[in-house]
Amino acid sequence: MSVAEPRRSNWRSMGGETRLGRSARTRSSGPRRRSPAGYLFVGGYVVLLALVGIYPVAYAFNLALTTIGGAFTGASNFVNTYKDFRFIPAFAHVAEFMAIWLTALVVIVIGLSLVAHSLSRRVSAAFRFLFYLPAAFAGSASVMLWLFMLQPGLSPWDFVLQAFGYTSLGDSLVPGDLPIVFALIAFWTGAGAWILVIHGALMNVPDDVLEAAALDGAGPLQTALRIKLPMIKKWIVYMLIVAFAGGTQLFAEPQLISQVSRGLAAGFGSYGSWSPNQLATSMAFQTGNFNYAAAIAIDLLAIALACAGILIFRTGLFKAD
Amino acid sequence: MRPIHVSGKASIDVSVNLRRASPRRLLAWTVATVAAVFFLLPIVWLLLEPTKPMFDTLGGTPPLEFGSFTVLQAWWYELFSSSTVYIPAGPILDWLKNSALYAGSGVVIAVALGLPAGYGLATFEFIGRRLVLFVTLMTMLIPSNALVLPLVLEANSVHLLGSPLAVILPYGLFPFGVYIAYLYFNTPRIHGLIASARIDGASEWQAFRRVALPLATPVIGLIALLDFVASWTNYFLPFLMYWPSSITGRYPVSVGIALQLIQPPPTNGTYLGNLDLALATPAPEEALLLLLSVAPVILVLVIAQRWIGSGRLRGVFGG
């Protein structure tokens, strides 16, 4: 039993949860001490959480429900922002971006994780580190760097740009192609981290299962599709939900591109209006309507909270007992 | 229910066999190498660009050729000298210092508050414990960008827009760190050690300070690493806190590098046609600035490399 127990919990939970969650063992541990000392340990963090986590959300919610003068207006800020001619396009842009980005994540990240998993331990670790390195460029640095990458004449990918017949940066930033450009930048920066996660989940697929599959005559492709992927399904779902929630928040890429293209590519002004976050920012700092900005922020927050809720209540990856 | 060592041994044999299957191995190497080129080429380019003279960049030296160290040195002096042509002296160093101050203070707060919080949630029972855990999970699972606009609206209402505190406090809130600490302390081993310390007459503070804390170095390292990288590279929050009021001296470097983008003069018509990258600084100097702006993060990642590769951080990234 002492041998079977951890293996069974491994089966049920799959992936990193056994490392992070340790649910099976935790429950058998002794009860926590009932003591007000707990408040002292948790207190500082809870105060900060209230100040910069909960209060701002409550404040934004209140703003979203009131007028500039502070009078309650119900849902009218939500309705008015929805009616703004830029609202639907902004969400449509982000949806288009996400269709490309999430597909790339599923196909390429899982593909590269399987490849890394098949290489020897040290080689695999080296490759995974190289894939992860662009994470250092998260935020604005990756966009600045990719502006160079998309500039014909300057870019090391010049031969690719020439093959498309591009002669200036404007050719690379044609408005219709922006979802692809943003997906490319987001993928370059973020794929490595997801490869670490998916590879980590693959490492937790028990060896004897793979061994049994090999003995039954399964080839590498069959093993990957029929054994490995079903066993790491939870982590793939986790990746998709987190990437989806993050994707709705797109800001740096379209904002910087709108600036470099004088607003021709991603909406006018220093903020633009290509993505919902840009639109909210424009409403706050260009139009000066903080209530409208709050309404859009609450729209986005509702999506984020729904995603977080699904992760907590549906995937069982995060245990808090 | 075979003994575990048998399956372990067999699996080693299997993986050795697979590794010898050379066409498959060759394919794996090829795919991994192509991917590595995709991920690394932009970084290699960035290392080479500052070695090139200004008028060489558009259609001059091939993008992936090395220029000279003399030129690199010249760009370095140009970037930092008080008589710089393209950037008013000061800001670059100021931006780097600001980033270090904001991210550094954020990390200190995240560790100083997050570690005891995780410990408290794991080892004490008190009213509201589950609620705190739940809110922590929710906060760590929503994208950090989702809180930016609410934070900016809040800062605006209390006149903190443009203050360093407006970014330091949000950087100090790192619920994921609390969750990691909670999981780390919520094990029978730690519970047992603390119980023995209490029996030996240790106060609650002593049990934390003398028993739990010395064991938590990996957790401290992990929280610091993740919060530092996230804070240093953050753009949306500091952009909104400092940009609208144009307080350039308070910019972190993530916002500073973007300031160098200038809007090019309008062309005729609305089509993007012959738009080219327009920068306040020449491309090689901007590349050097970009390189400096990410150098601390790359340094931290290289130091943590063994750790990242070892899979000890499994399931931790991306969250």
Side-chain angles (χ1 to χ4, degrees), chain A residues 180-203:
Chain A
I180 304 172
V181 172
F182 298 153
L184 183 66
I185 300 175
F187 184 83
W188 183 75
T189 323
W194 287 117
I195 293 173
L196 292 184
V197 172
I198 299 296
H199 178 270
L202 284 171
M203 292 293 281

Side-chain angles (χ1 to χ4, degrees), chain A residues 153-237:
Chain A
L154 208 56
S155 168
W157 309 104
D158 205 28
F159 63 99
V160 180
L161 299 175
Q162 271 175 15
F164 281 115
Y166 292 176
T167 54
S168 79
L169 184 64
D171 295 330
S172 311
L173 297 180
V174 173
D177 291 346
L178 287 183
I180 304 172
V181 172
F182 298 153
L184 183 66
I185 300 175
F187 184 83
W188 183 75
T189 323
W194 287 117
I195 293 173
L196 292 184
V197 172
I198 299 296
H199 178 270
L202 284 171
M203 292 293 281
N204 275 1
V205 174
D207 281 337
D208 47 355
V209 176
L210 299 178
E211 174 203 339
L215 287 175
D216 286 347
L221 193 66
Q222 264 190 316
T223 314
L225 291 178
R226 302 240 179 123
I227 315 259
K228 291 181 183 174
L229 291 191
M231 292 194 76
I232 62 164
K233 205 174 74 189
K234 267 187 190 177
W235 287 101
I236 297 173
V237 170

